[in-house]
Amino acid sequence: DLGLKKLIYEQERVPYYVMVDPVDLSAEILKLKDDKFLLDGIFEKDSYIFNLNGCEIEFDFKELFDEIV
């Protein structure tokens, strides 16, 4: 998912790219900046606030990963 798909998302200016690892129970969040994705953080038991055109959405990764275990 870090190859062609990431490139297409960058070209289309998708603001966030989230890769979830169900084995390590972690999520890597890339945020678009100056037409390139940069790592914004790796989350396991934290929340992350996505900002989409002024609309904030808080996502709790602990809750997600608790469902997997």
Side-chain angles (χ1 to χ4, degrees):
D1 280 349
L2 286 173
L4 180 61
K5 187 176 183 180
K6 179 178 167 265
L7 179 64
I8 291 170
Y9 281 26
E10 284 176 335
Q11 289 173 348
E12 295 299 319
R13 302 194 45 78
V14 174
Y16 296 95
Y17 192 72
V18 180
M19 293 174 295
V20 175
D21 185 333
V23 175
D24 288 338
L25 301 178
S26 66
E28 194 170 308
I29 298 179
L30 304 174
K31 187 174 180 181
L32 192 68
K33 183 172 180 170
D34 299 326
D35 297 326
K36 292 288 180 194
F37 281 120
L38 300 176
L39 180 64
D40 206 32
I42 298 173
F43 298 83
E44 297 171 346
K45 298 179 180 169
D46 306 304
S47 291
Y48 184 85
I49 297 174
F50 294 90
N51 189 324
L52 302 168
N53 298 322
C55 179
E56 291 187 345
I57 301 166
E58 184 172 359
F59 191 87
D60 184 354
F61 286 99
K62 181 182 183 315
E63 189 174 318
L64 170 70
F65 296 133
D66 283 349
E67 291 292 321
I68 294 174
V69 176

Coordinates of all heavy atoms in Angstrom, one line a residue:
D1 N 0.8 -1.2 0.0 CA 0.0 0.0 0.0 C 0.8 1.3 0.0 O 0.3 2.4 -0.1 CB -0.9 0.0 1.2 CG -2.2 -0.8 1.0 OD1 -2.4 -1.3 -0.2 OD2 -2.9 -1.1 1.9
L2 N 2.1 1.1 0.1 CA 3.0 2.3 0.1 C 3.5 2.6 -1.3 O 4.3 3.5 -1.4 CB 4.2 2.2 1.1 CG 3.8 2.3 2.6 CD1 5.0 2.0 3.5 CD2 3.3 3.7 2.9
G3 N 3.1 1.9 -2.3 CA 3.6 2.1 -3.6 C 2.6 2.9 -4.5 O 2.4 4.1 -4.2
L4 N 2.0 2.2 -5.4 CA 1.2 2.9 -6.4 C 0.0 3.6 -5.7 O -0.4 4.7 -6.1 CB 0.7 1.9 -7.5 CG -0.2 2.5 -8.5 CD1 0.5 3.6 -9.3 CD2 -0.7 1.3 -9.5
K5 N -0.7 2.9 -4.8 CA -1.9 3.5 -4.1 C -1.5 4.8 -3.4 O -2.3 5.8 -3.6 CB -2.4 2.5 -3.1 CG -3.7 2.8 -2.5 CD -4.2 1.7 -1.6 CE -5.5 1.9 -1.0 NZ -5.9 0.7 -0.2
K6 N -0.4 4.8 -2.7 CA 0.0 6.1 -2.1 C 0.3 7.2 -3.1 O -0.1 8.3 -2.9 CB 1.3 5.8 -1.2 CG 1.8 7.0 -0.5 CD 3.0 6.6 0.4 CE 3.8 7.8 0.8 NZ 4.9 8.2 0.0
L7 N 0.9 6.8 -4.2 CA 1.2 7.8 -5.2 C -0.1 8.4 -5.8 O -0.2 9.6 -6.0 CB 2.1 7.2 -6.3 CG 2.4 8.1 -7.5 CD1 3.3 9.2 -7.0 CD2 3.1 7.3 -8.5
I8 N -1.0 7.5 -6.1 CA -2.3 8.0 -6.6 C -3.0 8.9 -5.6 O -3.6 10.0 -6.0 CB -3.2 6.8 -7.0 CG1 -2.6 6.1 -8.2 CG2 -4.7 7.3 -7.3 CD1 -3.3 4.7 -8.5
Y9 N -3.0 8.5 -4.3 CA -3.7 9.4 -3.3 C -3.0 10.7 -3.2 O -3.6 11.7 -3.0 CB -3.6 8.7 -2.0 CG -4.7 7.6 -1.8 CD1 -5.2 6.9 -2.9 CD2 -5.1 7.2 -0.5 CE1 -6.2 5.9 -2.7 CE2 -6.1 6.3 -0.3 CZ -6.6 5.6 -1.4 OH -7.6 4.6 -1.2
E10 N -1.7 10.8 -3.3 CA -0.9 12.0 -3.3 C -1.4 12.9 -4.5 O -1.6 14.1 -4.4 CB 0.6 11.8 -3.3 CG 1.1 11.4 -2.0 CD 2.6 11.1 -2.1 OE1 3.2 10.8 -3.2 OE2 3.3 11.2 -1.0
Q11 N -1.4 12.3 -5.7 CA -1.8 13.0 -6.9 C -3.2 13.6 -6.8 O -3.5 14.6 -7.3 CB -1.6 12.1 -8.1 CG -0.2 11.8 -8.5 CD 0.0 10.8 -9.6 OE1 -1.0 10.1 -10.0 NE2 1.2 10.6 -10.1
E12 N -4.1 12.8 -6.2 CA -5.5 13.2 -6.1 C -5.7 14.1 -4.9 O -6.8 14.5 -4.6 CB -6.4 12.0 -6.0 CG -6.4 11.2 -7.3 CD -6.9 12.0 -8.5 OE1 -7.8 12.8 -8.4 OE2 -6.2 11.9 -9.6
R13 N -4.6 14.4 -4.1 CA -4.6 15.3 -2.9 C -5.6 14.8 -1.8 O -6.3 15.6 -1.2 CB -4.9 16.7 -3.4 CG -3.9 17.2 -4.4 CD -3.9 18.7 -4.6 NE -4.0 19.5 -3.4 CZ -3.0 19.8 -2.6 NH1 -1.8 19.3 -2.8 NH2 -3.1 20.6 -1.6
V14 N -5.6 13.5 -1.6 CA -6.3 12.9 -0.5 C -5.6 13.4 0.8 O -4.4 13.2 0.9 CB -6.4 11.4 -0.6 CG1 -7.0 10.8 0.6 CG2 -7.1 11.0 -1.9
P15 N -6.3 14.0 1.7 CA -5.6 14.6 2.9 C -5.0 13.7 3.9 O -4.0 14.0 4.5 CB -6.7 15.4 3.6 CG -8.0 14.9 3.1 CD -7.8 14.3 1.7
Y16 N -5.5 12.4 4.0 CA -4.9 11.5 4.9 C -4.8 10.1 4.3 O -5.6 9.7 3.5 CB -5.8 11.4 6.2 CG -5.9 12.6 7.0 CD1 -7.0 13.5 6.8 CD2 -5.0 12.9 8.0 CE1 -7.1 14.6 7.6 CE2 -5.1 14.1 8.7 CZ -6.1 14.9 8.5 OH -6.2 16.1 9.3
Y17 N -3.8 9.4 4.8 CA -3.6 8.0 4.4 C -3.3 7.2 5.6 O -2.4 7.5 6.4 CB -2.4 7.9 3.4 CG -2.2 6.6 2.7 CD1 -3.1 6.2 1.7 CD2 -1.2 5.8 3.0 CE1 -3.0 5.0 1.0 CE2 -1.0 4.6 2.3 CZ -1.9 4.2 1.3 OH -1.8 3.0 0.6
V18 N -4.2 6.3 5.9 CA -4.1 5.5 7.2 C -3.8 4.0 6.9 O -4.6 3.4 6.1 CB -5.4 5.6 8.0 CG1 -5.2 4.9 9.3 CG2 -5.7 7.1 8.3
M19 N -2.8 3.5 7.4 CA -2.5 2.1 7.3 C -2.6 1.4 8.6 O -1.9 1.8 9.6 CB -1.1 1.9 6.7 CG -1.0 2.4 5.3 SD 0.7 2.4 4.7 CE 1.5 3.5 5.7
V20 N -3.5 0.4 8.7 CA -3.7 -0.3 10.0 C -3.1 -1.6 9.9 O -3.2 -2.4 8.9 CB -5.3 -0.4 10.2 CG1 -5.5 -1.3 11.4 CG2 -5.9 0.9 10.3
D21 N -2.3 -1.9 10.9 CA -1.6 -3.2 11.1 C -2.3 -4.0 12.1 O -2.2 -3.8 13.3 CB -0.2 -3.0 11.5 CG 0.6 -4.3 11.5 OD1 0.0 -5.4 11.7 OD2 1.9 -4.2 11.3
P22 N -3.2 -5.0 11.7 CA -3.9 -5.8 12.7 C -3.1 -6.7 13.5 O -3.6 -7.2 14.5 CB -5.0 -6.5 11.8 CG -4.3 -6.6 10.5 CD -3.4 -5.4 10.3
V23 N -1.9 -7.0 13.1 CA -1.0 -7.9 13.9 C -0.3 -7.1 15.0 O -0.3 -7.5 16.1 CB 0.1 -8.5 12.9 CG1 1.1 -9.4 13.8 CG2 -0.6 -9.4 11.9
D24 N 0.3 -6.0 14.7 CA 0.9 -5.1 15.7 C -0.1 -4.2 16.4 O 0.3 -3.6 17.4 CB 2.0 -4.2 15.0 CG 3.2 -5.0 14.6 OD1 3.4 -6.1 15.1 OD2 3.9 -4.5 13.7
L25 N -1.3 -4.2 16.0 CA -2.4 -3.4 16.6 C -1.9 -1.9 16.6 O -1.9 -1.3 17.7 CB -2.7 -3.9 18.0 CG -3.3 -5.3 18.1 CD1 -3.6 -5.7 19.5 CD2 -4.5 -5.5 17.2
S26 N -1.6 -1.4 15.4 CA -1.1 0.0 15.3 C -1.7 0.5 14.0 O -2.0 -0.2 13.1 CB 0.4 0.1 15.4 OG 1.0 -0.6 14.2
A27 N -1.7 1.9 14.0 CA -2.1 2.6 12.8 C -1.1 3.7 12.5 O -0.8 4.4 13.4 CB -3.5 3.1 13.0
E28 N -0.7 3.7 11.3 CA 0.3 4.7 10.8 C -0.5 5.8 10.0 O -1.2 5.4 9.1 CB 1.3 4.1 10.0 CG 2.5 4.9 9.7 CD 3.6 4.1 9.0 OE1 4.0 3.0 9.5 OE2 4.1 4.5 8.0
I29 N -0.4 7.0 10.4 CA -1.2 8.1 9.8 C -0.2 9.0 9.0 O 0.7 9.5 9.6 CB -2.0 8.9 10.7 CG1 -3.1 8.0 11.4 CG2 -2.7 10.1 10.0 CD1 -3.9 8.7 12.4
L30 N -0.5 9.1 7.7 CA 0.3 10.0 6.9 C -0.7 11.2 6.5 O -1.8 10.9 6.2 CB 0.7 9.3 5.6 CG 1.6 8.0 5.8 CD1 1.8 7.4 4.4 CD2 2.9 8.4 6.5
K31 N -0.1 12.4 6.6 CA -0.9 13.6 6.3 C -0.3 14.3 5.1 O 0.9 14.4 5.0 CB -0.9 14.5 7.5 CG -1.8 15.6 7.4 CD -1.9 16.4 8.7 CE -2.8 17.6 8.6 NZ -2.8 18.3 9.9
L32 N -1.1 14.7 4.2 CA -0.7 15.4 3.0 C -0.2 16.8 3.3 O -0.9 17.6 3.9 CB -1.8 15.4 1.9 CG -1.4 15.9 0.5 CD1 -0.5 14.8 -0.1 CD2 -2.6 16.1 -0.3
K33 N 1.1 17.1 2.9 CA 1.6 18.4 3.1 C 2.5 18.7 1.8 O 3.4 18.0 1.5 CB 2.5 18.5 4.3 CG 3.0 19.9 4.6 CD 3.6 20.0 5.9 CE 4.1 21.5 6.0 NZ 4.6 21.9 7.3
D34 N 2.1 19.8 1.2 CA 2.9 20.2 0.0 C 2.9 19.1 -1.0 O 4.0 18.8 -1.6 CB 4.3 20.7 0.3 CG 4.3 21.9 1.2 OD1 3.4 22.8 1.1 OD2 5.2 22.0 2.1
D35 N 1.8 18.5 -1.3 CA 1.6 17.4 -2.3 C 2.3 16.1 -2.0 O 2.5 15.2 -2.8 CB 2.0 17.9 -3.7 CG 1.1 19.0 -4.1 OD1 -0.1 19.0 -3.8 OD2 1.6 19.9 -4.8
K36 N 2.8 15.9 -0.7 CA 3.5 14.7 -0.3 C 3.0 14.3 1.0 O 2.7 15.1 1.9 CB 5.0 14.9 -0.2 CG 5.7 15.2 -1.5 CD 5.8 13.9 -2.3 CE 6.5 14.2 -3.6 NZ 6.3 13.1 -4.6
F37 N 2.9 12.9 1.2 CA 2.5 12.4 2.5 C 3.7 12.4 3.5 O 4.8 12.0 3.1 CB 1.9 11.0 2.4 CG 0.5 10.9 1.9 CD1 0.2 10.3 0.7 CD2 -0.5 11.5 2.6 CE1 -1.1 10.2 0.3 CE2 -1.8 11.5 2.2 CZ -2.1 10.8 1.0
L38 N 3.4 12.9 4.7 CA 4.4 12.9 5.7 C 3.8 12.1 6.9 O 2.6 12.2 7.2 CB 4.8 14.3 6.2 CG 5.4 15.2 5.1 CD1 5.6 16.6 5.6 CD2 6.7 14.6 4.6
L39 N 4.7 11.4 7.6 CA 4.2 10.6 8.8 C 3.8 11.6 9.9 O 4.5 12.5 10.3 CB 5.3 9.7 9.3 CG 5.0 8.9 10.5 CD1 3.9 7.9 10.2 CD2 6.2 8.2 11.1
D40 N 2.5 11.5 10.3 CA 2.0 12.3 11.3 C 2.0 11.6 12.7 O 1.9 12.2 13.7 CB 0.6 12.8 11.0 CG 0.2 14.1 11.6 OD1 1.1 14.9 11.8 OD2 -1.0 14.3 12.0
G41 N 2.1 10.3 12.6 CA 2.2 9.5 13.9 C 1.9 8.1 13.7 O 1.3 7.7 12.7
I42 N 2.3 7.3 14.7 CA 1.9 5.9 14.8 C 1.0 5.7 16.1 O 1.5 6.1 17.2 CB 3.1 5.0 14.8 CG1 3.9 5.1 13.5 CG2 2.7 3.5 15.0 CD1 5.2 4.4 13.5
F43 N -0.2 5.2 15.9 CA -1.1 5.2 17.0 C -1.5 3.8 17.4 O -1.7 2.9 16.5 CB -2.3 6.0 16.7 CG -2.0 7.4 16.4 CD1 -1.5 7.8 15.1 CD2 -2.2 8.4 17.4 CE1 -1.2 9.1 14.9 CE2 -1.8 9.7 17.1 CZ -1.4 10.1 15.9
E44 N -1.6 3.5 18.7 CA -2.0 2.2 19.2 C -3.1 2.4 20.2 O -4.2 1.7 20.1 CB -0.8 1.5 19.9 CG 0.3 1.2 19.0 CD 1.6 0.7 19.7 OE1 1.7 0.9 20.9 OE2 2.5 0.2 19.0
K45 N -3.0 3.2 21.2 CA -4.0 3.4 22.2 C -4.4 4.9 22.3 O -4.9 5.3 23.3 CB -3.5 2.9 23.5 CG -3.1 1.4 23.5 CD -2.6 1.0 24.8 CE -2.3 -0.5 24.7 NZ -1.6 -1.1 25.7
D46 N -4.2 5.6 21.2 CA -4.5 7.0 21.2 C -5.7 7.3 20.3 O -6.1 6.5 19.5 CB -3.3 7.8 20.8 CG -2.0 7.5 21.5 OD1 -2.0 7.6 22.8 OD2 -1.0 7.0 20.9
S47 N -6.1 8.6 20.5 CA -7.1 9.1 19.6 C -6.4 10.0 18.6 O -5.3 10.6 18.9 CB -8.2 9.9 20.3 OG -9.0 9.1 21.1
Y48 N -7.0 10.2 17.4 CA -6.5 11.1 16.4 C -7.6 12.0 15.9 O -8.7 11.5 15.7 CB -5.8 10.4 15.3 CG -5.1 11.3 14.3 CD1 -3.8 11.7 14.5 CD2 -5.8 11.7 13.1 CE1 -3.2 12.5 13.6 CE2 -5.2 12.5 12.2 CZ -3.9 12.9 12.4 OH -3.3 13.8 11.5
I49 N -7.4 13.3 15.8 CA -8.4 14.1 15.2 C -8.1 14.4 13.8 O -7.1 15.1 13.5 CB -8.5 15.4 16.1 CG1 -8.9 15.1 17.5 CG2 -9.5 16.4 15.4 CD1 -8.9 16.3 18.4
F50 N -8.9 14.0 12.9 CA -8.8 14.3 11.5 C -9.6 15.6 11.2 O -10.7 15.8 11.7 CB -9.5 13.1 10.6 CG -8.8 11.8 10.7 CD1 -9.1 10.9 11.7 CD2 -7.8 11.5 9.9 CE1 -8.5 9.7 11.8 CE2 -7.1 10.3 9.9 CZ -7.5 9.4 10.9
N51 N -9.0 16.5 10.5 CA -9.6 17.7 10.1 C -9.9 17.7 8.6 O -8.9 17.8 7.8 CB -8.8 18.9 10.5 CG -9.5 20.2 10.4 OD1 -10.3 20.4 9.5 ND2 -9.2 21.1 11.3
L52 N -11.1 17.6 8.2 CA -11.5 17.6 6.8 C -12.3 18.8 6.5 O -13.5 18.9 6.8 CB -12.3 16.3 6.5 CG -11.6 15.0 6.9 CD1 -12.5 13.9 6.8 CD2 -10.4 14.8 5.9
N53 N -11.6 19.8 5.9 CA -12.3 21.1 5.5 C -13.0 21.7 6.7 O -14.2 22.2 6.5 CB -13.2 20.9 4.3 CG -12.5 20.4 3.1 OD1 -11.4 20.8 2.9 ND2 -13.1 19.5 2.4
G54 N -12.4 21.8 7.9 CA -13.0 22.4 9.0 C -13.9 21.5 9.8 O -14.4 21.9 10.9
C55 N -14.2 20.3 9.4 CA -15.0 19.3 10.1 C -14.0 18.4 10.8 O -13.2 17.7 10.2 CB -15.9 18.5 9.1 SG -16.9 17.3 10.0
E56 N -14.1 18.4 12.1 CA -13.1 17.5 12.9 C -13.8 16.2 13.3 O -15.0 16.2 13.8 CB -12.7 18.3 14.2 CG -11.8 19.4 13.9 CD -11.2 20.0 15.1 OE1 -11.7 19.8 16.2 OE2 -10.2 20.8 15.0
I57 N -13.1 15.1 13.1 CA -13.6 13.8 13.4 C -12.5 13.2 14.3 O -11.3 13.0 13.9 CB -13.8 13.0 12.2 CG1 -14.8 13.6 11.2 CG2 -14.2 11.5 12.5 CD1 -14.8 13.1 9.9
E58 N -12.9 12.8 15.5 CA -12.0 12.1 16.5 C -12.1 10.6 16.3 O -13.3 10.1 16.4 CB -12.2 12.6 17.9 CG -11.2 12.0 18.9 CD -11.3 12.6 20.3 OE1 -12.1 13.4 20.5 OE2 -10.5 12.1 21.1
F59 N -11.0 9.9 16.1 CA -11.1 8.5 16.0 C -10.2 7.9 17.1 O -9.1 8.2 17.3 CB -10.5 8.0 14.6 CG -10.8 6.6 14.4 CD1 -12.0 6.2 13.8 CD2 -9.8 5.6 14.7 CE1 -12.2 4.8 13.6 CE2 -10.1 4.3 14.5 CZ -11.3 3.9 13.9
D60 N -10.8 6.9 17.9 CA -10.1 6.3 19.0 C -9.6 4.9 18.5 O -10.3 4.0 18.4 CB -11.1 6.1 20.1 CG -10.4 5.6 21.4 OD1 -9.2 5.2 21.4 OD2 -11.1 5.5 22.4
F61 N -8.2 4.8 18.4 CA -7.6 3.6 17.9 C -7.7 2.5 19.0 O -7.7 1.3 18.6 CB -6.2 3.9 17.4 CG -6.2 4.5 16.1 CD1 -6.0 5.9 16.0 CD2 -6.4 3.8 14.9 CE1 -6.0 6.6 14.8 CE2 -6.5 4.5 13.7 CZ -6.3 5.8 13.6
K62 N -7.6 2.9 20.2 CA -7.7 1.9 21.3 C -9.0 1.1 21.2 O -9.1 -0.1 21.3 CB -7.6 2.6 22.7 CG -7.7 1.5 23.8 CD -7.6 2.2 25.2 CE -7.6 1.3 26.3 NZ -8.5 0.2 26.3
E63 N -10.1 1.8 20.9 CA -11.4 1.2 20.8 C -11.4 0.2 19.6 O -11.9 -0.9 19.7 CB -12.5 2.3 20.6 CG -13.9 1.7 20.7 CD -14.9 2.8 20.6 OE1 -14.7 3.9 21.3 OE2 -15.9 2.6 19.9
L64 N -10.8 0.6 18.5 CA -10.7 -0.2 17.3 C -9.9 -1.5 17.7 O -10.4 -2.6 17.4 CB -10.0 0.5 16.2 CG -9.7 -0.4 15.0 CD1 -10.9 -0.9 14.2 CD2 -8.7 0.3 14.1
F65 N -8.8 -1.3 18.3 CA -7.9 -2.5 18.5 C -8.4 -3.4 19.6 O -8.2 -4.6 19.6 CB -6.5 -2.0 18.8 CG -5.8 -1.4 17.6 CD1 -5.2 -0.2 17.7 CD2 -5.9 -1.9 16.3 CE1 -4.6 0.4 16.6 CE2 -5.4 -1.3 15.2 CZ -4.7 -0.1 15.4
D66 N -9.2 -2.8 20.6 CA -9.8 -3.6 21.6 C -10.8 -4.6 21.0 O -11.1 -5.7 21.5 CB -10.5 -2.8 22.6 CG -9.5 -2.1 23.6 OD1 -8.4 -2.5 23.6 OD2 -10.0 -1.3 24.4
E67 N -11.5 -4.2 19.9 CA -12.4 -5.0 19.2 C -11.7 -6.2 18.5 O -12.3 -7.2 18.3 CB -13.2 -4.2 18.1 CG -14.2 -3.2 18.7 CD -15.3 -3.8 19.4 OE1 -15.9 -4.9 18.9 OE2 -15.7 -3.3 20.5
I68 N -10.5 -6.0 18.0 CA -9.8 -7.0 17.3 C -9.3 -8.1 18.3 O -9.3 -9.3 17.9 CB -8.6 -6.4 16.5 CG1 -9.1 -5.5 15.4 CG2 -7.7 -7.5 16.0 CD1 -8.0 -4.7 14.7
V69 N -8.9 -7.7 19.5 CA -8.3 -8.7 20.4 C -9.3 -9.6 21.0 O -10.3 -9.7 21.1 CB -7.5 -8.0 21.5 CG1 -7.0 -8.9 22.6 CG2 -6.4 -7.2 21.0

